[in-house]
Amino acid sequence: MQEMKQCPQCGQMVKTVAKKCRYCGYWFNETTNETTNETASKTASEAPPPPPNTEAPHTQPPPSPGSGTEPSYGQGGRLITVMGVINEGTSLGLKNFVSIFVAYILFILTSWIPYINVGTSIALINLPITLSKSNNSTISPTFIFDGHYRKYMGEFFNLMGLMAISLIPAFLFLIIPGIIINYGWSQAYYLMFDKEIAPSEAMMQSTKITYGYKSTLFWIDLLIAVVVSIFFGIINFLTMLVTNSPIITMIFMVIIISLVAVIRVGCAAVAYRELQKRL
């Protein structure tokens, strides 16, 4: 059994060879060690109980990816939930409705311009990244003309080709494998541009961060599609019943399609913002 000595400041028992008390930080004077050693054994049984720990609790290190203890976003400790993403995504999308709508109009007006149209296409595909980093502020619709997007044309077409080559055979096997793989790679475009990684690496990382969440992403899309279809049918029926005007019906359809587009983009932004934390 190791010999112990008592700290004269806090009364705790520490090893004889200790030069500093590990409880209170008191530095022992080497000249008094011998005296302390002699009295340590006598006072050990009479030592007062240790004082309450007043030190700040140790902060736990951040959880490692895939450890099952990632930061909780939805219920049950999940990063995303169907209703959580839809609620926040709808709010985020509607807040930027005008900016997104104008961005699409600008895209349509400039889609005939070679080279520029590639950059604007890439910008719209990666619109969820822009929204996820907006910090609740409204984005600018002219972001689609940023030359930054045209810099990645090669990677963009490379990733598109890799995904098409793999998804087409997968969909031939009774569709379901293709759907699963498609949702597994659903974050690949965002990761490639946001993290500046190679297309193949983006596909691998997308599969990693969507593991366990593919069904959640599927139900988000399905729920939005069902609600929109019902709402679309009701509006179409009412407009035809009241006015029977194809022009008014078309105007309402354009409004509904625009709302659906911004909601889907908002949901994609929320989902990506949370899932990329698993990297």
Side-chain angles (χ1 to χ4, degrees), residues 8-111:
Q9 179 167 299
C10 65
Q12 295 290 338
M13 301 303 297
V14 297
K15 295 180 181 180
T16 303
V17 295
K19 296 183 179 181
K20 180 181 179 181
C21 178
R22 65 189 181 96
Y23 296 98
C24 65
Y26 175 80
W27 286 91
F28 295 102
N29 191 330
E30 294 183 357
T31 59
T32 62
N33 280 349
E34 294 182 359
T35 304
T36 304
N37 294 341
E38 294 176 357
T39 59
S41 58
K42 297 180 182 180
T43 58
S45 60
E46 302 176 359
N53 186 11
T54 58
E55 297 181 359
H58 295 288
T59 303
Q60 295 294 332
S64 57
S67 63
T69 57
E70 289 87 353
S72 174
Y73 168 75
Q75 296 178 352
R78 293 181 63 80
L79 283 172
I80 61 172
T81 60
V82 175
M83 295 310 302
V85 170
I86 291 178
N87 289 338
E88 188 175 353
T90 300
S91 176
L92 181 62
L94 293 179
K95 182 176 182 179
N96 291 272
F97 176 82
V98 175
S99 297
I100 297 174
F101 183 79
V102 173
Y104 274 97
I105 295 298
L106 293 174
F107 168 75
I108 294 173
L109 294 176
T110 59
S111 59

